[in-house]
Amino acid sequence: MTTRAPLATADRPNPAALLKRRWPTVLAVAVVALNVLASGSQDVADAVGGFAETLPLLPLIYLVVHQIGKPQATWPVLGAGTVVVFALPFQDAVAPSTVLVALALAVLAWGAVRGTPHGRATFGVQAGGALVFCGLALAGLAVDPDLGRYLLAAGWFFHGVWDFVHLRLDKVVSRTFAEWCGVIDVLVAVQLLFLV
């Protein structure tokens, strides 16, 4: 009597392998779900303010990692940026978005004066992205919250597209970050659209 080993087939995916390969997506969904649960029935103005304060961090990460020239620096740069975003509200002197936009401008100046590790064309694309996404964040803060949420939803959604393009091209930031950030960005855009 012989025993047969179970057949591994291509049409039956291994859930553990899939989870291991798509961990950035799983982590992104978990982060957004926790944020939705923690925010509860948040007022539109508060949600718009919070998401507008955070949006400039996204292009800033790309600018800093581009200037460093090492995609493996992406997650530590995200960690430092997250500390800034969450620590700054404890003081009342300056808004996090103001600090992030000022940092983005400083990195843009650094790249313009000192040069860039990946050339002017890539730097120009990153600079253009930073200006658009920071502009959408500031515009979202400046207008009525009902209009602001649509501007911010556009900013978050298009930054998700930005992430997926960088993931596909395997440029500037780490692939795991591009996947994670892209999923978060699209889910935040949907969350903004469905605020009541």
Side-chain angles (χ1 to χ4, degrees):
M1 178 175 185
T2 57
T3 54
R4 290 185 178 183
L7 296 174
T9 62
D11 57 333
R12 193 177 346 151
N14 179 345
L18 181 64
L19 183 62
K20 184 178 177 184
R21 194 171 53 249
R22 294 277 70 100
W23 70 264
T25 296
V26 172
L27 180 61
V29 170
V31 166
V32 173
L34 287 173
N35 182 50
V36 168
L37 290 174
S39 62
S41 60
Q42 192 175 28
D43 154 272
V44 173
D46 289 340
V48 166
F51 287 124
E53 294 292 345
T54 309
L55 181 58
L57 175 62
L58 308 177
L60 179 61
I61 291 168
Y62 275 82
L63 282 172
V64 170
V65 172
H66 176 266
Q67 281 305 103
I68 293 170
K70 297 179 186 206
Q72 62 269 28
T74 307
W75 288 99
V77 170
L78 169 66
T82 302
V83 168
V84 168
V85 166
F86 288 104
L88 281 173
F90 290 109
Q91 52 78 41
D92 289 330
V94 62
S97 59
T98 304
V99 171
L100 294 173
V101 169
L103 287 171
L105 291 173
V107 175
L108 287 172
W110 169 28
V113 171
R114 191 147 187 256
T116 66
H118 300 294
R120 296 259 180 225
T122 304
F123 179 70
V125 169
Q126 299 307 316
L131 293 173
V132 168
F133 296 120
C134 288
L136 282 168
L138 294 175
L141 285 170
V143 299
D144 177 73
D146 285 326
L147 174 58
R149 78 175 171 161
Y150 294 109
L151 291 171
L152 288 172
W156 282 86
F157 177 79
F158 286 115
H159 196 274
V161 172
W162 180 267
D163 291 316
F164 291 126
V165 168
H166 282 80
L167 174 64
R168 174 102 169 119
L169 297 175
D170 196 13
K171 296 233 180 212
V172 183
V173 296
S174 72
R175 291 182 57 77
T176 56
F177 173 81
E179 177 182 336
W180 175 82
C181 191
V183 172
I184 282 187
D185 295 351
V186 170
L187 292 176
V188 165
V190 170
Q191 183 181 353
L192 281 162
L193 290 176
F194 289 100
L195 286 172
V196 274

